[in-house]
Amino acid sequence: METTSKIVYQNANTSKLWDFSNKLILPGVTPGPNDTPLTGAMKFHNWIDQDGSASLSAGKTNLGSAFANDWWKLNDTTCVKKGDPRSAMWACTNLQGFTASVRLIVDAAKFALIQSSGILCSNPSSDFAPCPTIGYATHLQRPTPLSTAGVPLTDNPIISGGVEPSLGGGWYIRYLGGGPTTLVIAKAQMPNNNAVIKLAVRYPLNTTFSIIVYAAPSCRTSGKNLCQQAFVQATSLDDFNSRASTGTIYYFDNIKGLLYVPIVQLLDSSLGNSNVFFRNLTNPDTFSYGGYSIARPPFFANVTILASCGVVVGDYCPLDNSDFDVVPTA
Protein backbone atom coordinates (compact mmCIF):
# COMPACT_ATOMS: atom_id res chain seq x y z
CA MET A 1 0.00 0.00 0.00
CA GLU A 2 1.14 3.52 -0.76
CA THR A 3 -0.05 7.04 0.02
CA THR A 4 0.95 10.41 -1.43
CA SER A 5 0.02 14.07 -1.17
CA LYS A 6 1.13 17.46 -2.53
CA ILE A 7 2.36 16.03 -5.84
CA VAL A 8 3.43 18.71 -8.33
CA TYR A 9 3.99 18.01 -12.05
CA GLN A 10 6.64 20.16 -13.71
CA ASN A 11 7.26 20.23 -17.46
CA ALA A 12 4.94 17.23 -17.78
CA ASN A 13 2.36 16.38 -20.41
CA THR A 14 -0.46 15.48 -18.03
CA SER A 15 -2.64 14.34 -20.92
CA LYS A 16 -0.46 11.21 -20.94
CA LEU A 17 -0.74 10.69 -17.19
CA TRP A 18 -2.48 7.32 -17.66
CA ASP A 19 -0.47 6.15 -20.66
CA PHE A 20 1.66 3.60 -18.81
CA SER A 21 4.61 1.96 -20.57
CA ASN A 22 3.97 -1.54 -19.17
CA LYS A 23 0.83 -3.02 -20.66
CA LEU A 24 -0.98 -6.21 -19.86
CA ILE A 25 -0.97 -9.08 -22.34
CA LEU A 26 -4.61 -9.88 -23.09
CA PRO A 27 -5.77 -13.21 -24.54
CA GLY A 28 -5.64 -13.20 -28.34
CA VAL A 29 -3.50 -10.06 -28.47
CA THR A 30 0.00 -10.18 -29.94
CA PRO A 31 2.42 -8.88 -27.26
CA GLY A 32 4.34 -5.71 -27.94
CA PRO A 33 7.92 -4.96 -26.80
CA ASN A 34 6.74 -3.35 -23.55
CA ASP A 35 3.93 -5.76 -22.73
CA THR A 36 3.86 -7.59 -19.39
CA PRO A 37 2.02 -10.74 -18.26
CA LEU A 38 -0.55 -10.44 -15.45
CA THR A 39 1.07 -10.70 -12.01
CA GLY A 40 -0.22 -10.65 -8.46
CA ALA A 41 1.22 -7.18 -7.95
CA MET A 42 -0.61 -5.91 -11.04
CA LYS A 43 -3.96 -7.16 -9.68
CA PHE A 44 -3.55 -5.67 -6.21
CA HIS A 45 -1.53 -2.53 -6.95
CA ASN A 46 -3.14 0.48 -5.31
CA TRP A 47 -2.42 3.75 -3.63
CA ILE A 48 -4.24 6.54 -1.82
CA ASP A 49 -3.90 9.99 -3.34
CA GLN A 50 -4.69 11.95 -0.20
CA ASP A 51 -5.46 15.27 -1.89
CA GLY A 52 -6.02 14.33 -5.55
CA SER A 53 -2.79 15.98 -6.65
CA ALA A 54 -1.21 12.81 -8.12
CA SER A 55 -4.28 11.75 -10.12
CA LEU A 56 -5.43 15.31 -10.86
CA SER A 57 -8.70 14.49 -9.14
CA ALA A 58 -11.03 16.58 -6.99
CA GLY A 59 -10.04 15.57 -3.47
CA LYS A 60 -8.90 12.31 -1.85
CA THR A 61 -8.79 9.52 -4.42
CA ASN A 62 -8.26 5.78 -4.08
CA LEU A 63 -6.54 4.24 -7.08
CA GLY A 64 -6.52 0.52 -7.79
CA SER A 65 -5.72 -1.80 -10.65
CA ALA A 66 -8.46 -2.48 -13.22
CA PHE A 67 -6.63 -5.74 -14.05
CA ALA A 68 -8.57 -7.12 -11.04
CA ASN A 69 -11.93 -6.71 -12.82
CA ASP A 70 -14.22 -4.61 -10.56
CA TRP A 71 -12.34 -5.36 -7.34
CA TRP A 72 -11.09 -1.77 -7.02
CA LYS A 73 -14.35 -0.22 -8.27
CA LEU A 74 -15.39 0.77 -4.78
CA ASN A 75 -18.64 2.47 -5.68
CA ASP A 76 -20.83 2.89 -8.75
CA THR A 77 -21.09 6.68 -8.76
CA THR A 78 -17.64 8.25 -8.27
CA CYS A 79 -15.29 5.59 -9.68
CA VAL A 80 -13.84 6.21 -13.13
CA LYS A 81 -11.64 3.85 -15.13
CA LYS A 82 -8.51 5.67 -16.27
CA GLY A 83 -6.19 4.60 -19.10
CA ASP A 84 -6.57 2.22 -22.02
CA PRO A 85 -7.81 -1.38 -21.48
CA ARG A 86 -4.27 -2.70 -20.99
CA SER A 87 -3.02 -0.04 -18.56
CA ALA A 88 -6.11 0.90 -16.62
CA MET A 89 -6.82 1.87 -13.02
CA TRP A 90 -9.97 2.67 -11.10
CA ALA A 91 -9.93 6.16 -9.58
CA CYS A 92 -12.55 6.52 -6.83
CA THR A 93 -13.41 9.62 -4.80
CA ASN A 94 -15.68 10.27 -1.81
CA LEU A 95 -15.06 6.87 -0.23
CA GLN A 96 -15.90 6.16 3.40
CA GLY A 97 -13.85 3.03 4.09
CA PHE A 98 -10.21 1.97 4.15
CA THR A 99 -7.67 -0.20 2.36
CA ALA A 100 -6.19 -3.36 3.88
CA SER A 101 -4.02 -6.32 2.94
CA VAL A 102 -4.09 -9.91 4.25
CA ARG A 103 -2.95 -13.41 3.39
CA LEU A 104 -5.61 -16.09 3.06
CA ILE A 105 -3.53 -19.28 3.18
CA VAL A 106 -5.20 -22.54 2.16
CA ASP A 107 -2.06 -24.62 1.56
CA ALA A 108 0.95 -23.41 3.53
CA ALA A 109 3.29 -25.93 1.85
CA LYS A 110 2.44 -24.67 -1.64
CA PHE A 111 2.87 -21.07 -0.55
CA ALA A 112 6.28 -21.91 0.93
CA LEU A 113 7.40 -23.33 -2.43
CA ILE A 114 6.20 -20.20 -4.22
CA GLN A 115 8.01 -17.98 -1.73
CA SER A 116 11.28 -19.92 -1.68
CA SER A 117 11.90 -20.60 -5.35
CA GLY A 118 8.83 -20.34 -7.54
CA ILE A 119 9.23 -24.04 -8.38
CA LEU A 120 5.50 -24.69 -8.10
CA CYS A 121 4.41 -21.51 -9.88
CA SER A 122 5.20 -17.82 -9.84
CA ASN A 123 4.40 -14.58 -11.50
CA PRO A 124 4.40 -15.48 -15.21
CA SER A 125 7.82 -15.50 -16.85
CA SER A 126 9.75 -17.50 -19.36
CA ASP A 127 10.86 -19.94 -16.65
CA PHE A 128 7.86 -20.61 -14.42
CA ALA A 129 4.19 -21.29 -14.97
CA PRO A 130 1.62 -18.81 -13.65
CA CYS A 131 -0.19 -19.73 -10.45
CA PRO A 132 -3.61 -21.16 -11.42
CA THR A 133 -6.82 -19.64 -10.13
CA ILE A 134 -8.18 -21.43 -7.04
CA GLY A 135 -11.04 -19.07 -6.21
CA TYR A 136 -12.42 -15.54 -6.40
CA ALA A 137 -13.05 -12.64 -4.06
CA THR A 138 -15.59 -9.86 -4.35
CA HIS A 139 -17.34 -7.39 -2.06
CA LEU A 140 -20.17 -8.56 0.19
CA GLN A 141 -22.77 -6.36 -1.48
CA ARG A 142 -21.67 -6.71 -5.11
CA PRO A 143 -24.27 -8.95 -6.82
CA THR A 144 -22.57 -9.22 -10.21
CA PRO A 145 -21.24 -12.65 -11.32
CA LEU A 146 -18.32 -13.66 -9.14
CA SER A 147 -15.96 -14.90 -11.86
CA THR A 148 -16.38 -11.81 -14.06
CA ALA A 149 -16.45 -9.03 -11.45
CA GLY A 150 -14.37 -10.68 -8.71
CA VAL A 151 -10.60 -10.87 -8.47
CA PRO A 152 -8.97 -14.29 -9.07
CA LEU A 153 -7.18 -15.88 -6.09
CA THR A 154 -4.20 -18.24 -6.36
CA ASP A 155 -1.92 -20.25 -4.06
CA ASN A 156 -0.04 -16.96 -3.67
CA PRO A 157 -2.45 -15.89 -0.92
CA ILE A 158 -1.75 -12.15 -0.70
CA ILE A 159 -4.87 -10.07 -1.25
CA SER A 160 -5.22 -6.30 -0.92
CA GLY A 161 -8.47 -4.43 -1.31
CA GLY A 162 -10.80 -1.67 -0.26
CA VAL A 163 -13.34 -2.12 2.51
CA GLU A 164 -16.38 0.08 1.87
CA PRO A 165 -19.49 0.35 4.10
CA SER A 166 -21.67 0.79 0.99
CA LEU A 167 -20.41 -2.57 -0.29
CA GLY A 168 -21.05 -4.37 3.00
CA GLY A 169 -17.81 -3.58 4.81
CA GLY A 170 -16.08 -6.79 3.80
CA TRP A 171 -15.28 -9.50 1.27
CA TYR A 172 -16.95 -12.65 -0.02
CA ILE A 173 -14.64 -15.57 -0.86
CA ARG A 174 -15.41 -18.74 -2.78
CA TYR A 175 -12.88 -21.40 -3.74
CA LEU A 176 -13.27 -23.67 -6.75
CA GLY A 177 -12.53 -26.72 -4.60
CA GLY A 178 -15.11 -25.80 -1.92
CA GLY A 179 -14.60 -24.63 1.66
CA PRO A 180 -10.98 -24.93 2.88
CA THR A 181 -10.44 -27.46 5.66
CA THR A 182 -7.73 -25.10 6.94
CA LEU A 183 -7.72 -21.38 6.28
CA VAL A 184 -5.10 -19.18 7.92
CA ILE A 185 -5.67 -15.42 7.97
CA ALA A 186 -2.23 -13.93 8.37
CA LYS A 187 -0.24 -10.71 7.87
CA ALA A 188 -3.34 -8.55 8.32
CA GLN A 189 -2.21 -5.02 7.51
CA MET A 190 -4.91 -2.73 8.87
CA PRO A 191 -4.92 1.07 8.98
CA ASN A 192 -5.62 1.23 12.74
CA ASN A 193 -6.92 -0.76 15.71
CA ASN A 194 -10.55 0.19 14.97
CA ALA A 195 -10.71 -1.22 11.43
CA VAL A 196 -12.67 -4.44 10.79
CA ILE A 197 -13.07 -6.54 7.63
CA LYS A 198 -16.10 -8.83 7.61
CA LEU A 199 -15.04 -11.96 5.73
CA ALA A 200 -17.61 -14.43 4.38
CA VAL A 201 -16.41 -17.82 3.05
CA ARG A 202 -18.64 -20.41 1.39
CA TYR A 203 -18.84 -23.90 3.01
CA PRO A 204 -21.12 -26.95 2.78
CA LEU A 205 -24.10 -27.00 5.12
CA ASN A 206 -23.54 -28.56 8.56
CA THR A 207 -19.82 -27.77 8.57
CA THR A 208 -18.43 -27.14 12.07
CA PHE A 209 -15.48 -24.95 12.98
CA SER A 210 -12.67 -24.41 15.45
CA ILE A 211 -11.29 -20.87 15.15
CA ILE A 212 -8.36 -19.63 17.22
CA VAL A 213 -6.33 -16.42 17.07
CA TYR A 214 -2.62 -16.77 17.91
CA ALA A 215 0.07 -14.28 18.84
CA ALA A 216 3.69 -15.05 17.90
CA PRO A 217 5.47 -18.06 19.48
CA SER A 218 7.58 -15.53 21.38
CA CYS A 219 4.48 -14.39 23.28
CA ARG A 220 4.79 -15.32 26.95
CA THR A 221 1.82 -15.96 29.22
CA SER A 222 3.68 -14.69 32.28
CA GLY A 223 2.04 -11.63 33.81
CA LYS A 224 -1.39 -12.75 32.53
CA ASN A 225 -0.38 -11.99 28.95
CA LEU A 226 -2.89 -13.43 26.41
CA CYS A 227 -1.22 -15.41 23.60
CA GLN A 228 -4.18 -17.24 22.05
CA GLN A 229 -7.94 -16.97 22.14
CA ALA A 230 -10.75 -19.16 20.80
CA PHE A 231 -13.54 -17.48 18.83
CA VAL A 232 -17.09 -17.74 20.15
CA GLN A 233 -20.09 -18.42 17.91
CA ALA A 234 -22.72 -15.74 17.39
CA THR A 235 -26.40 -16.64 17.62
CA SER A 236 -27.34 -14.89 14.35
CA LEU A 237 -25.92 -12.72 11.60
CA ASP A 238 -27.27 -9.64 13.35
CA ASP A 239 -25.49 -10.75 16.51
CA PHE A 240 -22.27 -11.23 14.53
CA ASN A 241 -22.55 -7.81 12.88
CA SER A 242 -23.17 -6.11 16.20
CA ARG A 243 -20.15 -7.77 17.83
CA ALA A 244 -17.72 -8.14 14.90
CA SER A 245 -15.59 -5.32 16.27
CA THR A 246 -14.70 -7.48 19.28
CA GLY A 247 -12.50 -9.47 16.89
CA THR A 248 -13.16 -12.96 18.27
CA ILE A 249 -16.67 -13.90 17.17
CA TYR A 250 -17.89 -15.92 14.19
CA TYR A 251 -21.18 -16.99 12.67
CA PHE A 252 -22.09 -19.85 10.34
CA ASP A 253 -25.24 -19.39 8.30
CA ASN A 254 -26.36 -22.99 7.90
CA ILE A 255 -28.98 -22.06 5.32
CA LYS A 256 -26.68 -20.27 2.87
CA GLY A 257 -23.50 -22.10 3.89
CA LEU A 258 -21.58 -18.96 4.83
CA LEU A 259 -18.91 -18.62 7.49
CA TYR A 260 -18.50 -15.05 8.75
CA VAL A 261 -15.34 -14.01 10.61
CA PRO A 262 -13.89 -10.58 11.39
CA ILE A 263 -10.37 -9.58 10.42
CA VAL A 264 -8.80 -7.06 12.82
CA GLN A 265 -5.36 -5.73 13.68
CA LEU A 266 -3.21 -8.25 15.54
CA LEU A 267 0.11 -7.82 17.33
CA ASP A 268 2.79 -10.49 17.60
CA SER A 269 3.73 -9.66 21.19
CA SER A 270 0.32 -9.93 22.85
CA LEU A 271 -3.41 -10.26 22.23
CA GLY A 272 -4.41 -8.82 25.61
CA ASN A 273 -4.20 -9.95 29.22
CA SER A 274 -6.15 -11.69 31.97
CA ASN A 275 -7.85 -13.79 29.25
CA VAL A 276 -9.36 -10.66 27.67
CA PHE A 277 -8.72 -9.96 23.99
CA PHE A 278 -7.87 -6.27 23.54
CA ARG A 279 -8.86 -4.31 20.44
CA ASN A 280 -7.25 -1.07 21.63
CA LEU A 281 -3.61 -2.17 21.41
CA THR A 282 -1.65 0.39 19.38
CA ASN A 283 0.61 -0.98 16.66
CA PRO A 284 4.13 0.14 17.65
CA ASP A 285 5.48 -0.61 14.17
CA THR A 286 3.88 2.20 12.17
CA PHE A 287 5.57 4.44 9.60
CA SER A 288 4.33 8.03 9.65
CA TYR A 289 5.27 11.00 7.51
CA GLY A 290 3.58 14.26 6.67
CA GLY A 291 0.54 13.47 8.79
CA TYR A 292 -0.15 10.09 7.15
CA SER A 293 0.63 6.63 8.52
CA ILE A 294 0.98 3.06 7.26
CA ALA A 295 1.05 0.28 9.86
CA ARG A 296 3.20 -2.79 9.29
CA PRO A 297 1.49 -6.20 9.50
CA PRO A 298 2.43 -8.72 12.20
CA PHE A 299 5.09 -11.25 11.32
CA PHE A 300 3.32 -14.29 12.81
CA ALA A 301 0.02 -13.45 14.57
CA ASN A 302 -2.85 -15.09 12.74
CA VAL A 303 -6.34 -16.53 12.85
CA THR A 304 -6.52 -20.26 12.06
CA ILE A 305 -9.83 -21.74 10.91
CA LEU A 306 -10.22 -25.53 11.04
CA ALA A 307 -13.34 -26.85 9.31
CA SER A 308 -14.91 -30.30 9.84
CA CYS A 309 -17.23 -31.63 7.16
CA GLY A 310 -18.59 -34.99 5.99
CA VAL A 311 -16.48 -35.27 2.82
CA VAL A 312 -12.97 -33.95 2.19
CA VAL A 313 -11.25 -33.77 -1.19
CA GLY A 314 -7.68 -32.53 -0.97
CA ASP A 315 -7.67 -29.27 0.99
CA TYR A 316 -11.41 -28.66 0.69
CA CYS A 317 -14.90 -29.58 1.77
CA PRO A 318 -16.37 -29.85 -1.75
CA LEU A 319 -19.36 -27.82 -2.98
CA ASP A 320 -21.70 -28.02 -5.95
CA ASN A 321 -20.30 -25.31 -8.24
CA SER A 322 -23.43 -24.93 -10.35
CA ASP A 323 -24.14 -21.72 -8.40
CA PHE A 324 -20.50 -20.58 -8.29
CA ASP A 325 -21.14 -17.11 -9.77
CA VAL A 326 -23.96 -16.32 -7.33
CA VAL A 327 -22.91 -13.98 -4.50
CA PRO A 328 -25.22 -15.00 -1.62
CA THR A 329 -24.21 -12.06 0.58
CA ALA A 330 -25.42 -9.44 -1.92
Side-chain angles (χ1 to χ4, degrees), residues 197-218:
I197 305 171
K198 296 176 185 177
L199 187 71
V201 186
R202 187 77 163 79
Y203 276 91
L205 303 186
N206 300 315
T207 304
T208 59
F209 302 92
S210 169
I211 306 176
I212 299 177
V213 56
Y214 296 95
S218 57

Side-chain angles (χ1 to χ4, degrees), residues 165-310:
S166 64
L167 291 175
W171 305 335
Y172 168 70
I173 307 290
R174 180 155 181 176
Y175 292 97
L176 292 167
T181 54
T182 299
L183 181 62
V184 178
I185 304 169
K187 296 278 188 180
Q189 186 176 17
M190 310 293 281
N192 54 59
N193 59 2
N194 295 315
V196 180
I197 305 171
K198 296 176 185 177
L199 187 71
V201 186
R202 187 77 163 79
Y203 276 91
L205 303 186
N206 300 315
T207 304
T208 59
F209 302 92
S210 169
I211 306 176
I212 299 177
V213 56
Y214 296 95
S218 57
C219 179
R220 295 290 179 263
T221 56
S222 58
K224 299 183 179 180
N225 199 29
L226 183 67
C227 297
Q228 71 179 63
Q229 180 79 15
F231 279 42
V232 296
Q233 186 168 7
T235 57
S236 66
L237 183 56
D238 286 342
D239 183 33
F240 169 82
N241 286 330
S242 68
R243 296 198 285 158
S245 61
T246 64
T248 55
I249 191 167
Y250 76 95
Y251 176 66
F252 184 60
D253 184 332
N254 203 35
I255 296 176
K256 295 182 178 180
L258 287 170
L259 172 68
Y260 290 87
V261 293
I263 301 175
V264 301
Q265 174 185 275
L266 299 175
L267 302 184
D268 282 324
S269 58
S270 176
L271 302 175
N273 63 42
S274 297
N275 293 319
V276 177
F277 182 83
F278 284 172
R279 283 297 319 282
N280 60 350
L281 295 173
T282 300
N283 190 338
D285 198 4
T286 300
F287 174 77
S288 299
Y289 182 79
Y292 306 112
S293 299
I294 296 179
R296 296 182 187 272
F299 180 77
F300 181 87
N302 70 86
V303 173
T304 297
I305 301 170
L306 300 179
S308 298
C309 53

Side-chain angles (χ1 to χ4, degrees), residues 123-168:
N123 284 334
S125 70
S126 59
D127 299 321
F128 301 114
C131 294
T133 297
I134 64 170
Y136 287 85
T138 191
H139 298 274
L140 291 178
Q141 296 298 320
R142 174 154 285 154
T144 46
L146 178 60
S147 61
T148 55
V151 59
L153 305 178
T154 72
D155 283 314
N156 183 344
I158 300 170
I159 175 172
S160 300
V163 182
E164 276 298 302
S166 64
L167 291 175

